[in-house]
Amino acid sequence: MDSTTQTSSHWYVLYTKPRAEKKLAKQLLQDGIEAYCPTRVEVKQWSDRKKKIETPILPSMILVNIPDQDRPLVFDRPQAVRYLYWLGKPAKVSSKEVESLRSMAEDSQFESQELQSLRPGEKLDMTALGFEQIEGTVKFVNAKECWIILEHIGYVVKFKKSQLEL
């Protein structure tokens, strides 16, 4: 291996303990490790009030940009569980996909998308849903929610109509 390969970093999917995504991402950032926990704002309703809460888009997962040889460093934090593997190798996420998640989380462009127009099995150019150069497959859709498979990481992202209208 040459030295440029050893020092190049990639985005990896890191499993976290339940409900520890934002906390772990913050701690890794403090440790000097680039970490990203994509979130969306969700309205939660209790019997006496409604509150907007920032909810992770990828439950129990965060994205970390780290050189290959430094991947074990994330396990210095007890909230880190393991890396996601895809086809026998650590799942790598392209920078374009990470930027698309960032732009989707910051700029909810889902409002104009009619859920009823989507069909299970349909391949989607996710650009229409706020992503850039990402392909997904519709897994399930009804009038209230849509599940889309992000094939590069083998994960299903679920969107509820109420979340898309915020």
Side-chain angles (χ1 to χ4, degrees):
M1 242 185 210
D2 65 329
S3 61
T4 57
T5 306
Q6 292 176 345
T7 59
S8 67
S9 61
H10 301 281
W11 284 99
Y12 294 97
V13 180
L14 178 65
Y15 278 114
T16 70
K17 288 187 176 179
R19 300 177 187 238
E21 306 91 345
K22 294 188 292 184
K23 181 177 182 179
L24 180 58
K26 184 178 178 181
Q27 290 174 343
L28 291 175
L29 286 169
Q30 290 171 347
D31 292 345
I33 297 172
E34 187 177 3
Y36 175 55
C37 177
T39 59
R40 65 176 173 251
V41 176
E42 198 172 293
V43 176
K44 296 281 188 176
Q45 183 169 349
W46 289 268
S47 60
D48 60 338
R49 67 188 185 282
K50 287 184 180 181
K51 187 175 181 180
K52 288 186 179 182
I53 301 203
E54 219 175 271
T55 306
I57 292 174
L58 305 172
S60 296
M61 293 185 204
I62 63 171
L63 302 169
V64 292
N65 189 5
I66 193 166
D68 292 340
Q69 73 273 12
D70 292 341
R71 284 190 313 122
L73 294 176
V74 300
F75 299 113
D76 291 344
R77 296 294 181 168
Q79 295 86 3
V81 176
R82 67 179 180 87
Y83 285 101
L84 172 72
Y85 278 73
W86 182 250
L87 301 175
K89 296 180 182 178
K92 293 181 182 177
V93 180
S94 72
S95 294
K96 288 181 182 181
E97 289 172 314
V98 173
E99 287 308 312
S100 295
L101 278 171
R102 287 184 199 270
S103 66
M104 184 274 307
E106 293 170 3
D107 183 29
S108 181
Q109 297 178 12
F110 292 94
E111 296 172 32
S112 62
Q113 182 67 31
E114 287 293 325
L115 294 180
Q116 294 83 356
S117 68
L118 301 174
R119 301 282 175 243
E122 181 179 348
K123 293 275 188 189
L124 294 178
D125 174 5
M126 301 292 283
T127 306
L129 295 174
F131 292 89
E132 295 175 15
Q133 299 181 4
I134 293 182
E135 189 171 278
T137 304
V138 176
K139 176 74 174 169
F140 171 81
V141 66
N142 65 21
K144 295 182 179 182
E145 64 184 359
C146 178
W147 301 0
I148 300 172
I149 299 172
L150 299 179
E151 295 166 6
H152 284 250
I153 60 173
Y155 194 76
V156 177
V157 179
K158 300 175 185 179
F159 297 100
K160 293 183 181 178
K161 189 172 184 178
S162 63
Q163 296 165 342
L164 306 178
E165 295 173 349
L166 292 176

